[in-house]
Amino acid sequence: IVSMNIDSETLISWGFFGLVSVGFYSLYPITNYFLEKFSQKYNNYTLERKEYILTNVIKSKVLFVISGLFLSTIYDNSLDILTVRHSSGNYLFWKNISALYACTDFIGLIRNKKMETSTIIHHYCVLITYFVISMLDFTKESIFKAALMYGAFSALAFMVNFYLGARFLLKKHSKWDIITKKMSAISYVIACAFNWTWQMYYMRVLYINSTNIYNLILQFSIYFVLLFAWISDDLKLMQFLLN
């Protein structure tokens, strides 16, 4: 379907994935220490609930970093999201951005046992997609760019993960609870709207520029399975935030 091989960039990206996974995991005891020290409400929760809070609060910080990197590459024109072309930038950079995103779901699966089935499927799809992306030839356009960009756009809604964890530390229906939830819902709707619009646009451009329509249809068929898992989870979470 697409050209994949294990080269030096792939090995470096896998090493980076391992490194940031360890780093992400190490943030749990640090964050737990401060929450236990400053939040009495946090101390009253079960270990399972604490893991849920920690996973989402820490993940929101990582997504904030990714969203900043994503927006900066658009601003300095090292990433062109409106045309089908690769910039002359560092392809390893994008593989490592994918690794950074994937590590949050990888450690989340290990630490957080309180997840919906749709979210668990979402996380596994992210991990599979990352390892495929890490072995891709970035000099050729393919559906991989759509998968990478799905994660990049999703990172813009980092407030959602923050709210999912912080809501258990805030007084229910308090001013800050309502404000945080509204900000999360707005950012999520906007991020998803841009994401899904760009996905349709990009797939149309790929179709117009395709020289092998059968290969493209096969790529789309596989990618639609991933999209179904991701969008299903997004819609479920969006419904919760807008309720």
Side-chain angles (χ1 to χ4, degrees):
I1 301 175
V2 290
S3 177
M4 289 191 296
N5 66 298
I6 301 177
D7 55 15
S8 59
E9 281 194 353
T10 300
L11 295 176
I12 292 173
S13 182
W14 288 354
F16 182 76
F17 173 78
L19 183 64
V20 292
S21 293
V22 172
F24 186 80
Y25 194 93
S26 67
L27 289 175
Y28 277 77
I30 298 173
T31 308
N32 180 70
Y33 169 79
F34 285 104
L35 288 179
E36 285 184 340
K37 188 173 182 179
F38 297 107
S39 175
Q40 182 58 47
K41 195 172 184 180
Y42 176 80
N43 289 317
N44 295 330
Y45 287 123
T46 63
L47 178 61
E48 185 180 64
R49 178 59 72 194
K50 287 181 178 180
E51 292 288 308
Y52 178 88
I53 294 171
L54 291 170
T55 297
N56 281 288
V57 170
I58 299 171
K59 181 175 181 177
S60 69
K61 298 176 183 178
V62 176
L63 295 184
F64 174 75
V65 172
I66 294 175
S67 65
L69 293 171
F70 173 50
L71 292 176
S72 66
T73 57
I74 294 177
Y75 178 77
D76 64 19
N77 204 34
S78 62
L79 173 68
D80 189 340
I81 63 174
L82 297 179
T83 59
V84 181
R85 71 168 179 83
H86 282 291
S87 59
S88 58
N90 189 348
Y91 302 140
L92 179 59
F93 169 80
W94 287 104
K95 292 186 179 184
N96 286 344
I97 288 296
S98 300
L100 184 59
Y101 187 98
C103 87
T104 65
D105 287 349
F106 173 58
I107 300 301
L109 287 168
I110 295 174
R111 295 292 303 248
N112 182 21
K113 306 302 180 183
K114 201 173 184 66
M115 286 192 292
E116 297 286 342
T117 302
S118 60
T119 303
I120 294 174
I121 295 173
H122 177 128
H123 287 0
Y124 277 115
C125 287
V126 167
L127 286 172
I128 292 170
T129 302
Y130 159 65
F131 283 107
V132 171
I133 286 176
S134 70
M135 294 183 285
L136 286 176
D137 178 3
F138 266 47
T139 62
K140 299 177 181 179
E141 283 291 336
S142 67
I143 201 67
F144 83 87
K145 188 173 184 179
L148 190 154
M149 293 296 291
Y150 200 99
F153 275 111
S154 296
L156 296 175
F158 57 87
M159 272 293 297
V160 175
N161 285 96
F162 177 78
Y163 172 72
L164 290 177
R167 63 193 165 119
F168 293 104
L169 307 177
L170 300 170
K171 184 179 179 181
K172 196 171 184 180
H173 303 310
S174 66
K175 176 184 176 181
W176 287 111
D177 180 50
I178 294 172
I179 290 176
T180 308
K181 186 176 183 179
K182 284 184 177 180
M183 289 177 62
S184 300
I186 292 171
S187 67
Y188 204 38
V189 170
I190 293 175
C192 285
F194 274 104
N195 200 351
W196 297 340
T197 300
W198 188 89
Q199 294 287 323
M200 290 186 290
Y201 164 79
Y202 183 69
M203 284 188 276
R204 178 178 178 274
V205 174
L206 279 183
Y207 174 76
I208 293 173
N209 290 275
S210 174
T211 57
N212 188 337
I213 190 63
Y214 297 107
N215 182 44
L216 186 64
I217 291 174
L218 184 55
Q219 287 186 42
F220 281 1
S221 299
I222 295 174
Y223 186 56
F224 286 157
V225 174
L226 295 174
L227 278 181
F228 179 79
W230 293 336
I231 293 177
S232 295
D233 192 43
D234 285 337
L235 289 174
K236 193 169 184 177
L237 184 53
M238 194 181 296
Q239 183 179 26
F240 165 75
L241 292 172
L242 294 172
N243 186 1

mmCIF file with all atom_site columns, all heavy atoms in Angstrom, residues 178-197:
data_model
loop_
_atom_site.group_PDB
_atom_site.id
_atom_site.type_symbol
_atom_site.label_atom_id
_atom_site.label_alt_id
_atom_site.label_comp_id
_atom_site.label_asym_id
_atom_site.label_entity_id
_atom_site.label_seq_id
_atom_site.pdbx_PDB_ins_code
_atom_site.Cartn_x
_atom_site.Cartn_y
_atom_site.Cartn_z
_atom_site.occupancy
_atom_site.B_iso_or_equiv
_atom_site.pdbx_formal_charge
_atom_site.auth_seq_id
_atom_site.auth_comp_id
_atom_site.auth_asym_id
_atom_site.auth_atom_id
_atom_site.pdbx_PDB_model_num
ATOM 1   N N   . ILE A 1 178 ? -18.032 24.815 35.697 1.00 0.00 ? 178 ILE A N   1
ATOM 2   C CA  . ILE A 1 178 ? -18.836 25.177 34.522 1.00 0.00 ? 178 ILE A CA  1
ATOM 3   C C   . ILE A 1 178 ? -17.982 25.835 33.446 1.00 0.00 ? 178 ILE A C   1
ATOM 4   O O   . ILE A 1 178 ? -18.080 25.494 32.256 1.00 0.00 ? 178 ILE A O   1
ATOM 5   C CB  . ILE A 1 178 ? -19.985 26.129 34.937 1.00 0.00 ? 178 ILE A CB  1
ATOM 6   C CG1 . ILE A 1 178 ? -20.966 25.391 35.855 1.00 0.00 ? 178 ILE A CG1 1
ATOM 7   C CG2 . ILE A 1 178 ? -20.704 26.668 33.699 1.00 0.00 ? 178 ILE A CG2 1
ATOM 8   C CD1 . ILE A 1 178 ? -22.024 26.293 36.463 1.00 0.00 ? 178 ILE A CD1 1
ATOM 9   N N   . ILE A 1 179 ? -17.113 26.764 33.862 1.00 0.00 ? 179 ILE A N   1
ATOM 10  C CA  . ILE A 1 179 ? -16.251 27.467 32.904 1.00 0.00 ? 179 ILE A CA  1
ATOM 11  C C   . ILE A 1 179 ? -15.304 26.499 32.197 1.00 0.00 ? 179 ILE A C   1
ATOM 12  O O   . ILE A 1 179 ? -15.142 26.536 30.969 1.00 0.00 ? 179 ILE A O   1
ATOM 13  C CB  . ILE A 1 179 ? -15.438 28.569 33.614 1.00 0.00 ? 179 ILE A CB  1
ATOM 14  C CG1 . ILE A 1 179 ? -16.361 29.708 34.053 1.00 0.00 ? 179 ILE A CG1 1
ATOM 15  C CG2 . ILE A 1 179 ? -14.335 29.112 32.691 1.00 0.00 ? 179 ILE A CG2 1
ATOM 16  C CD1 . ILE A 1 179 ? -15.663 30.787 34.853 1.00 0.00 ? 179 ILE A CD1 1
ATOM 17  N N   . THR A 1 180 ? -14.668 25.611 32.970 1.00 0.00 ? 180 THR A N   1
ATOM 18  C CA  . THR A 1 180 ? -13.719 24.652 32.396 1.00 0.00 ? 180 THR A CA  1
ATOM 19  C C   . THR A 1 180 ? -14.409 23.707 31.425 1.00 0.00 ? 180 THR A C   1
ATOM 20  O O   . THR A 1 180 ? -13.868 23.385 30.361 1.00 0.00 ? 180 THR A O   1
ATOM 21  C CB  . THR A 1 180 ? -13.030 23.836 33.513 1.00 0.00 ? 180 THR A CB  1
ATOM 22  O OG1 . THR A 1 180 ? -12.481 24.726 34.480 1.00 0.00 ? 180 THR A OG1 1
ATOM 23  C CG2 . THR A 1 180 ? -11.923 22.974 32.931 1.00 0.00 ? 180 THR A CG2 1
ATOM 24  N N   . LYS A 1 181 ? -15.614 23.275 31.794 1.00 0.00 ? 181 LYS A N   1
ATOM 25  C CA  . LYS A 1 181 ? -16.349 22.363 30.912 1.00 0.00 ? 181 LYS A CA  1
ATOM 26  C C   . LYS A 1 181 ? -16.748 23.059 29.614 1.00 0.00 ? 181 LYS A C   1
ATOM 27  O O   . LYS A 1 181 ? -16.631 22.483 28.521 1.00 0.00 ? 181 LYS A O   1
ATOM 28  C CB  . LYS A 1 181 ? -17.594 21.829 31.617 1.00 0.00 ? 181 LYS A CB  1
ATOM 29  C CG  . LYS A 1 181 ? -18.336 20.759 30.818 1.00 0.00 ? 181 LYS A CG  1
ATOM 30  C CD  . LYS A 1 181 ? -19.500 20.181 31.597 1.00 0.00 ? 181 LYS A CD  1
ATOM 31  C CE  . LYS A 1 181 ? -20.175 19.060 30.805 1.00 0.00 ? 181 LYS A CE  1
ATOM 32  N NZ  . LYS A 1 181 ? -21.302 18.448 31.553 1.00 0.00 ? 181 LYS A NZ  1
ATOM 33  N N   . LYS A 1 182 ? -17.203 24.306 29.707 1.00 0.00 ? 182 LYS A N   1
ATOM 34  C CA  . LYS A 1 182 ? -17.608 25.047 28.512 1.00 0.00 ? 182 LYS A CA  1
ATOM 35  C C   . LYS A 1 182 ? -16.411 25.298 27.595 1.00 0.00 ? 182 LYS A C   1
ATOM 36  O O   . LYS A 1 182 ? -16.510 25.151 26.370 1.00 0.00 ? 182 LYS A O   1
ATOM 37  C CB  . LYS A 1 182 ? -18.253 26.382 28.907 1.00 0.00 ? 182 LYS A CB  1
ATOM 38  C CG  . LYS A 1 182 ? -19.680 26.250 29.427 1.00 0.00 ? 182 LYS A CG  1
ATOM 39  C CD  . LYS A 1 182 ? -20.303 27.606 29.698 1.00 0.00 ? 182 LYS A CD  1
ATOM 40  C CE  . LYS A 1 182 ? -21.758 27.465 30.138 1.00 0.00 ? 182 LYS A CE  1
ATOM 41  N NZ  . LYS A 1 182 ? -22.383 28.792 30.408 1.00 0.00 ? 182 LYS A NZ  1
ATOM 42  N N   . MET A 1 183 ? -15.280 25.688 28.184 1.00 0.00 ? 183 MET A N   1
ATOM 43  C CA  . MET A 1 183 ? -14.075 25.925 27.387 1.00 0.00 ? 183 MET A CA  1
ATOM 44  C C   . MET A 1 183 ? -13.621 24.644 26.699 1.00 0.00 ? 183 MET A C   1
ATOM 45  O O   . MET A 1 183 ? -13.196 24.655 25.538 1.00 0.00 ? 183 MET A O   1
ATOM 46  C CB  . MET A 1 183 ? -12.958 26.465 28.279 1.00 0.00 ? 183 MET A CB  1
ATOM 47  C CG  . MET A 1 183 ? -13.168 27.887 28.760 1.00 0.00 ? 183 MET A CG  1
ATOM 48  S SD  . MET A 1 183 ? -11.843 28.448 29.878 1.00 0.00 ? 183 MET A SD  1
ATOM 49  C CE  . MET A 1 183 ? -10.428 28.346 28.788 1.00 0.00 ? 183 MET A CE  1
ATOM 50  N N   . SER A 1 184 ? -13.734 23.527 27.409 1.00 0.00 ? 184 SER A N   1
ATOM 51  C CA  . SER A 1 184 ? -13.357 22.230 26.841 1.00 0.00 ? 184 SER A CA  1
ATOM 52  C C   . SER A 1 184 ? -14.269 21.860 25.682 1.00 0.00 ? 184 SER A C   1
ATOM 53  O O   . SER A 1 184 ? -13.803 21.401 24.630 1.00 0.00 ? 184 SER A O   1
ATOM 54  C CB  . SER A 1 184 ? -13.418 21.144 27.921 1.00 0.00 ? 184 SER A CB  1
ATOM 55  O OG  . SER A 1 184 ? -12.550 21.426 28.987 1.00 0.00 ? 184 SER A OG  1
ATOM 56  N N   . ALA A 1 185 ? -15.561 22.057 25.877 1.00 0.00 ? 185 ALA A N   1
ATOM 57  C CA  . ALA A 1 185 ? -16.534 21.714 24.834 1.00 0.00 ? 185 ALA A CA  1
ATOM 58  C C   . ALA A 1 185 ? -16.315 22.554 23.582 1.00 0.00 ? 185 ALA A C   1
ATOM 59  O O   . ALA A 1 185 ? -16.310 22.039 22.455 1.00 0.00 ? 185 ALA A O   1
ATOM 60  C CB  . ALA A 1 185 ? -17.954 21.911 25.370 1.00 0.00 ? 185 ALA A CB  1
ATOM 61  N N   . ILE A 1 186 ? -16.116 23.854 23.774 1.00 0.00 ? 186 ILE A N   1
ATOM 62  C CA  . ILE A 1 186 ? -15.903 24.755 22.630 1.00 0.00 ? 186 ILE A CA  1
ATOM 63  C C   . ILE A 1 186 ? -14.635 24.384 21.871 1.00 0.00 ? 186 ILE A C   1
ATOM 64  O O   . ILE A 1 186 ? -14.627 24.305 20.640 1.00 0.00 ? 186 ILE A O   1
ATOM 65  C CB  . ILE A 1 186 ? -15.837 26.221 23.109 1.00 0.00 ? 186 ILE A CB  1
ATOM 66  C CG1 . ILE A 1 186 ? -17.206 26.669 23.630 1.00 0.00 ? 186 ILE A CG1 1
ATOM 67  C CG2 . ILE A 1 186 ? -15.380 27.139 21.971 1.00 0.00 ? 186 ILE A CG2 1
ATOM 68  C CD1 . ILE A 1 186 ? -17.191 28.019 24.320 1.00 0.00 ? 186 ILE A CD1 1
ATOM 69  N N   . SER A 1 187 ? -13.547 24.158 22.604 1.00 0.00 ? 187 SER A N   1
ATOM 70  C CA  . SER A 1 187 ? -12.273 23.815 21.952 1.00 0.00 ? 187 SER A CA  1
ATOM 71  C C   . SER A 1 187 ? -12.379 22.483 21.226 1.00 0.00 ? 187 SER A C   1
ATOM 72  O O   . SER A 1 187 ? -11.795 22.302 20.147 1.00 0.00 ? 187 SER A O   1
ATOM 73  C CB  . SER A 1 187 ? -11.138 23.763 22.982 1.00 0.00 ? 187 SER A CB  1
ATOM 74  O OG  . SER A 1 187 ? -11.308 22.681 23.887 1.00 0.00 ? 187 SER A OG  1
ATOM 75  N N   . TYR A 1 188 ? -13.139 21.549 21.797 1.00 0.00 ? 188 TYR A N   1
ATOM 76  C CA  . TYR A 1 188 ? -13.284 20.224 21.193 1.00 0.00 ? 188 TYR A CA  1
ATOM 77  C C   . TYR A 1 188 ? -14.089 20.290 19.896 1.00 0.00 ? 188 TYR A C   1
ATOM 78  O O   . TYR A 1 188 ? -13.712 19.688 18.888 1.00 0.00 ? 188 TYR A O   1
ATOM 79  C CB  . TYR A 1 188 ? -13.962 19.289 22.189 1.00 0.00 ? 188 TYR A CB  1
ATOM 80  C CG  . TYR A 1 188 ? -13.682 17.830 21.957 1.00 0.00 ? 188 TYR A CG  1
ATOM 81  C CD1 . TYR A 1 188 ? -12.428 17.389 21.544 1.00 0.00 ? 188 TYR A CD1 1
ATOM 82  C CD2 . TYR A 1 188 ? -14.665 16.862 22.174 1.00 0.00 ? 188 TYR A CD2 1
ATOM 83  C CE1 . TYR A 1 188 ? -12.167 16.045 21.356 1.00 0.00 ? 188 TYR A CE1 1
ATOM 84  C CE2 . TYR A 1 188 ? -14.410 15.521 21.992 1.00 0.00 ? 188 TYR A CE2 1
ATOM 85  C CZ  . TYR A 1 188 ? -13.158 15.115 21.580 1.00 0.00 ? 188 TYR A CZ  1
ATOM 86  O OH  . TYR A 1 188 ? -12.901 13.788 21.394 1.00 0.00 ? 188 TYR A OH  1
ATOM 87  N N   . VAL A 1 189 ? -15.192 21.034 19.931 1.00 0.00 ? 189 VAL A N   1
ATOM 88  C CA  . VAL A 1 189 ? -16.028 21.168 18.734 1.00 0.00 ? 189 VAL A CA  1
ATOM 89  C C   . VAL A 1 189 ? -15.235 21.842 17.613 1.00 0.00 ? 189 VAL A C   1
ATOM 90  O O   . VAL A 1 189 ? -15.273 21.405 16.457 1.00 0.00 ? 189 VAL A O   1
ATOM 91  C CB  . VAL A 1 189 ? -17.305 21.980 19.047 1.00 0.00 ? 189 VAL A CB  1
ATOM 92  C CG1 . VAL A 1 189 ? -18.047 22.331 17.750 1.00 0.00 ? 189 VAL A CG1 1
ATOM 93  C CG2 . VAL A 1 189 ? -18.225 21.190 19.977 1.00 0.00 ? 189 VAL A CG2 1
ATOM 94  N N   . ILE A 1 190 ? -14.507 22.905 17.947 1.00 0.00 ? 190 ILE A N   1
ATOM 95  C CA  . ILE A 1 190 ? -13.722 23.634 16.942 1.00 0.00 ? 190 ILE A CA  1
ATOM 96  C C   . ILE A 1 190 ? -12.617 22.747 16.371 1.00 0.00 ? 190 ILE A C   1
ATOM 97  O O   . ILE A 1 190 ? -12.415 22.679 15.157 1.00 0.00 ? 190 ILE A O   1
ATOM 98  C CB  . ILE A 1 190 ? -13.110 24.916 17.546 1.00 0.00 ? 190 ILE A CB  1
ATOM 99  C CG1 . ILE A 1 190 ? -14.223 25.915 17.890 1.00 0.00 ? 190 ILE A CG1 1
ATOM 100 C CG2 . ILE A 1 190 ? -12.109 25.549 16.571 1.00 0.00 ? 190 ILE A CG2 1
ATOM 101 C CD1 . ILE A 1 190 ? -13.734 27.150 18.607 1.00 0.00 ? 190 ILE A CD1 1
ATOM 102 N N   . ALA A 1 191 ? -11.887 22.045 17.262 1.00 0.00 ? 191 ALA A N   1
ATOM 103 C CA  . ALA A 1 191 ? -10.800 21.174 16.812 1.00 0.00 ? 191 ALA A CA  1
ATOM 104 C C   . ALA A 1 191 ? -11.314 20.060 15.916 1.00 0.00 ? 191 ALA A C   1
ATOM 105 O O   . ALA A 1 191 ? -10.721 19.761 14.876 1.00 0.00 ? 191 ALA A O   1
ATOM 106 C CB  . ALA A 1 191 ? -10.066 20.586 18.026 1.00 0.00 ? 191 ALA A CB  1
ATOM 107 N N   . CYS A 1 192 ? -12.429 19.440 16.315 1.00 0.00 ? 192 CYS A N   1
ATOM 108 C CA  . CYS A 1 192 ? -13.007 18.350 15.510 1.00 0.00 ? 192 CYS A CA  1
ATOM 109 C C   . CYS A 1 192 ? -13.530 18.872 14.170 1.00 0.00 ? 192 CYS A C   1
ATOM 110 O O   . CYS A 1 192 ? -13.380 18.208 13.140 1.00 0.00 ? 192 CYS A O   1
ATOM 111 C CB  . CYS A 1 192 ? -14.132 17.665 16.280 1.00 0.00 ? 192 CYS A CB  1
ATOM 112 S SG  . CYS A 1 192 ? -13.566 16.571 17.611 1.00 0.00 ? 192 CYS A SG  1
ATOM 113 N N   . ALA A 1 193 ? -14.138 20.048 14.186 1.00 0.00 ? 193 ALA A N   1
ATOM 114 C CA  . ALA A 1 193 ? -14.672 20.620 12.941 1.00 0.00 ? 193 ALA A CA  1
ATOM 115 C C   . ALA A 1 193 ? -13.542 20.872 11.938 1.00 0.00 ? 193 ALA A C   1
ATOM 116 O O   . ALA A 1 193 ? -13.648 20.504 10.758 1.00 0.00 ? 193 ALA A O   1
ATOM 117 C CB  . ALA A 1 193 ? -15.405 21.924 13.244 1.00 0.00 ? 193 ALA A CB  1
ATOM 118 N N   . PHE A 1 194 ? -12.453 21.480 12.409 1.00 0.00 ? 194 PHE A N   1
ATOM 119 C CA  . PHE A 1 194 ? -11.296 21.708 11.541 1.00 0.00 ? 194 PHE A CA  1
ATOM 120 C C   . PHE A 1 194 ? -10.687 20.380 11.103 1.00 0.00 ? 194 PHE A C   1
ATOM 121 O O   . PHE A 1 194 ? -10.297 20.211 9.938  1.00 0.00 ? 194 PHE A O   1
ATOM 122 C CB  . PHE A 1 194 ? -10.243 22.552 12.267 1.00 0.00 ? 194 PHE A CB  1
ATOM 123 C CG  . PHE A 1 194 ? -10.459 24.030 12.144 1.00 0.00 ? 194 PHE A CG  1
ATOM 124 C CD1 . PHE A 1 194 ? -10.970 24.760 13.211 1.00 0.00 ? 194 PHE A CD1 1
ATOM 125 C CD2 . PHE A 1 194 ? -10.163 24.699 10.966 1.00 0.00 ? 194 PHE A CD2 1
ATOM 126 C CE1 . PHE A 1 194 ? -11.184 26.127 13.101 1.00 0.00 ? 194 PHE A CE1 1
ATOM 127 C CE2 . PHE A 1 194 ? -10.361 26.060 10.845 1.00 0.00 ? 194 PHE A CE2 1
ATOM 128 C CZ  . PHE A 1 194 ? -10.880 26.778 11.920 1.00 0.00 ? 194 PHE A CZ  1
ATOM 129 N N   . ASN A 1 195 ? -10.595 19.457 12.032 1.00 0.00 ? 195 ASN A N   1
ATOM 130 C CA  . ASN A 1 195 ? -9.990  18.155 11.752 1.00 0.00 ? 195 ASN A CA  1
ATOM 131 C C   . ASN A 1 195 ? -10.760 17.404 10.680 1.00 0.00 ? 195 ASN A C   1
ATOM 132 O O   . ASN A 1 195 ? -10.189 16.966 9.665  1.00 0.00 ? 195 ASN A O   1
ATOM 133 C CB  . ASN A 1 195 ? -9.945  17.331 13.042 1.00 0.00 ? 195 ASN A CB  1
ATOM 134 C CG  . ASN A 1 195 ? -8.917  16.202 12.976 1.00 0.00 ? 195 ASN A CG  1
ATOM 135 O OD1 . ASN A 1 195 ? -8.341  15.918 11.932 1.00 0.00 ? 195 ASN A OD1 1
ATOM 136 N ND2 . ASN A 1 195 ? -8.693  15.564 14.091 1.00 0.00 ? 195 ASN A ND2 1
ATOM 137 N N   . TRP A 1 196 ? -12.049 17.236 10.890 1.00 0.00 ? 196 TRP A N   1
ATOM 138 C CA  . TRP A 1 196 ? -12.856 16.453 9.952  1.00 0.00 ? 196 TRP A CA  1
ATOM 139 C C   . TRP A 1 196 ? -12.959 17.137 8.590  1.00 0.00 ? 196 TRP A C   1
ATOM 140 O O   . TRP A 1 196 ? -12.978 16.466 7.551  1.00 0.00 ? 196 TRP A O   1
ATOM 141 C CB  . TRP A 1 196 ? -14.249 16.221 10.547 1.00 0.00 ? 196 TRP A CB  1
ATOM 142 C CG  . TRP A 1 196 ? -14.205 15.413 11.809 1.00 0.00 ? 196 TRP A CG  1
ATOM 143 C CD1 . TRP A 1 196 ? -13.193 14.591 12.237 1.00 0.00 ? 196 TRP A CD1 1
ATOM 144 C CD2 . TRP A 1 196 ? -15.205 15.375 12.835 1.00 0.00 ? 196 TRP A CD2 1
ATOM 145 N NE1 . TRP A 1 196 ? -13.503 14.035 13.453 1.00 0.00 ? 196 TRP A NE1 1
ATOM 146 C CE2 . TRP A 1 196 ? -14.720 14.488 13.849 1.00 0.00 ? 196 TRP A CE2 1
ATOM 147 C CE3 . TRP A 1 196 ? -16.449 15.982 13.006 1.00 0.00 ? 196 TRP A CE3 1
ATOM 148 C CZ2 . TRP A 1 196 ? -15.454 14.214 15.012 1.00 0.00 ? 196 TRP A CZ2 1
ATOM 149 C CZ3 . TRP A 1 196 ? -17.184 15.705 14.163 1.00 0.00 ? 196 TRP A CZ3 1
ATOM 150 C CH2 . TRP A 1 196 ? -16.691 14.839 15.139 1.00 0.00 ? 196 TRP A CH2 1
ATOM 151 N N   . THR A 1 197 ? -13.019 18.473 8.586  1.00 0.00 ? 197 THR A N   1
ATOM 152 C CA  . THR A 1 197 ? -13.051 19.209 7.319  1.00 0.00 ? 197 THR A CA  1
ATOM 153 C C   . THR A 1 197 ? -11.748 18.997 6.555  1.00 0.00 ? 197 THR A C   1
ATOM 154 O O   . THR A 1 197 ? -11.754 18.748 5.340  1.00 0.00 ? 197 THR A O   1
ATOM 155 C CB  . THR A 1 197 ? -13.265 20.715 7.571  1.00 0.00 ? 197 THR A CB  1
ATOM 156 O OG1 . THR A 1 197 ? -14.504 20.909 8.256  1.00 0.00 ? 197 THR A OG1 1
ATOM 157 C CG2 . THR A 1 197 ? -13.280 21.480 6.248  1.00 0.00 ? 197 THR A CG2 1
#
